[in-house]
Amino acid sequence: MKWRGTRQSDNVEDRRGLSGGKVAVGGGVIGIIILLLNVFGGETGQTVGNVLQQMQGGQQQTEAAAPLSKEEEEMGNFVKSVLAKTEDTWSKIFTENGMTYEKPKLVLFKGSVQTACGGASSASGPFYCPGDQKVYMDLEFFEELKTKFGAKGGDFAIAYVIAHEIGHHIQTLLGTSEKMREEQQGKSEAEANKLSVALELQADFYAGVWAHDNQQYIEAGDIEEALSAANAVGDDAIQSKMSGEVVPDSFTHGSSEQRMYWFKKGFSSGDIKQGTTFEEIR
């Protein structure tokens, strides 16, 4: 992705160099299972982080503050550039539709973090907290995405995940998330899960819309990186990796095919009105 020399957002909080005190250990079987269960944590990653901490009880360690390496600083600059591009895209789209875009914050952290939605560990995967309208990311997740999930990796895979989480912010601003939670009340688990899937697929669609608006920065192979990431974190791919059994009624994020389809639809159309996942998922 072409990003050097472009505007960087002022809305990134880089907490990676801070001493985090106690950090839940996310390694081993438990950490991998939790990570698989909640990759791209949507708006609920913090809950899984709390579960991980409870499951591991006292298995905590203290991590001292350390200066960022040049590679970490470079990655931070990349994230700031991607966030700036989401700000430009959604500010334009909101203005075109007679609305004002409220820019979210993006928090980079290592190990664990406290949010308005509760505590979370890196095992939660990237997630959006509507309580403080912030996206939380431990960038080590992307190494997990590549080594454990089989994604290609690459900078545009990271950009896709950021754009997906910003998609959840868009849903918060438009009232979509609140409406979905209201509709989930009184539904069976399977029906409630369908609504959750629709929300996640719409966030993938919004990520595609963002990519459509930033084609001048896209290089050969970038879209393939995004699709590889979407494919790797489909519910069916995760369930198959975990247990060898796929249970569609338990999906909460969508299948690999669905996630790739909706990203591609957003990318090809660039039209937010075509993100009709709730109509099509029922």
Side-chain angles (χ1 to χ4, degrees):
M1 181 178 181
K2 303 173 185 175
W3 64 272
R4 291 179 177 80
T6 62
R7 184 177 77 83
Q8 294 187 359
S9 174
D10 296 325
N11 292 308
V12 173
E13 298 178 15
D14 197 338
R15 303 182 189 175
R16 293 175 296 168
L18 301 178
S19 56
K22 291 184 177 180
V23 177
V25 178
V29 175
I30 291 177
I32 293 173
I33 290 175
I34 294 296
L35 185 59
L36 286 170
L37 282 172
N38 212 57
V39 287
F40 296 19
E43 297 183 352
T44 57
Q46 68 287 345
T47 303
V48 175
N50 289 336
V51 171
L52 175 63
Q53 291 171 0
Q54 292 170 10
M55 290 175 69
Q56 294 190 311
Q59 295 182 36
Q60 296 181 324
Q61 63 186 23
T62 300
E63 182 179 16
L68 299 179
S69 66
K70 289 185 178 180
E71 182 179 353
E72 288 173 325
E73 290 179 353
E74 178 87 345
M75 186 58 67
N77 289 333
F78 171 73
V79 169
K80 291 176 184 178
S81 295
V82 172
L83 186 62
K85 290 172 177 55
T86 67
E87 293 169 347
D88 295 343
T89 292
W90 290 109
S91 293
K92 181 181 69 174
I93 291 175
F94 269 55
T95 298
E96 290 171 350
N97 288 275
M99 299 178 290
T100 301
Y101 181 60
E102 300 173 22
K103 299 175 183 178
K105 299 282 188 180
L106 190 154
V107 179
L108 295 175
F109 71 96
K110 284 184 177 181
S112 67
V113 68
Q114 289 297 320
T115 81
C117 298
S121 77
S122 57
S124 303
F127 66 92
Y128 172 74
C129 174
D132 53 22
Q133 297 193 1
K134 293 182 180 181
V135 172
Y136 292 87
M137 300 179 68
D138 184 331
L139 292 173
E140 291 184 6
F141 165 80
F142 296 100
E143 187 62 28
E144 300 279 325
L145 189 66
K146 183 169 60 175
T147 59
K148 289 188 172 68
F149 302 162
K152 289 183 177 179
D155 57 6
F156 205 78
I158 300 174
Y160 154 65
V161 175
I162 293 173
H164 171 93
E165 297 305 334
I166 295 299
H168 287 306
H169 178 62
I170 302 303
Q171 292 167 329
T172 295
L173 296 181
L174 297 179
T176 309
S177 300
E178 183 178 2
K179 182 179 179 181
M180 182 215 70
R181 284 190 289 269
E182 291 174 353
E183 289 188 19
Q184 285 181 317
Q185 300 301 313
K187 293 283 197 306
S188 67
E189 183 178 354
E191 290 300 315
N193 284 344
K194 284 185 180 180
L195 293 170
S196 177
V197 167
L199 192 78
E200 295 297 331
L201 295 180
Q202 190 179 67
D204 281 330
F205 172 82
Y206 287 153
V209 170
W210 168 79
H212 175 91
D213 192 59
N214 287 271
Q215 293 185 59
Q216 67 270 36
Y217 303 112
I218 293 176
E219 298 178 301
D222 280 350
I223 297 302
E224 287 74 14
E225 290 176 4
L227 291 173
S228 177
N231 178 71
V233 296
D235 284 323
D236 53 343
I238 292 172
Q239 289 183 359
S240 179
K241 183 182 289 289
M242 286 178 62
S243 65
E245 182 181 3
V246 175
V247 184
D249 282 348
S250 68
F251 288 2
T252 57
H253 286 64
S255 68
S256 295
E257 182 179 0
Q258 287 175 315
R259 300 198 70 166
M260 290 189 293
Y261 170 81
W262 283 103
F263 174 82
K264 287 190 290 186
K265 185 172 183 178
F267 179 65
S268 62
S269 71
D271 179 8
I272 60 170
K273 294 182 176 64
Q274 293 191 33
T276 55
T277 56
F278 287 91
E279 288 80 356
E280 298 191 30
I281 204 71
R282 296 182 192 277

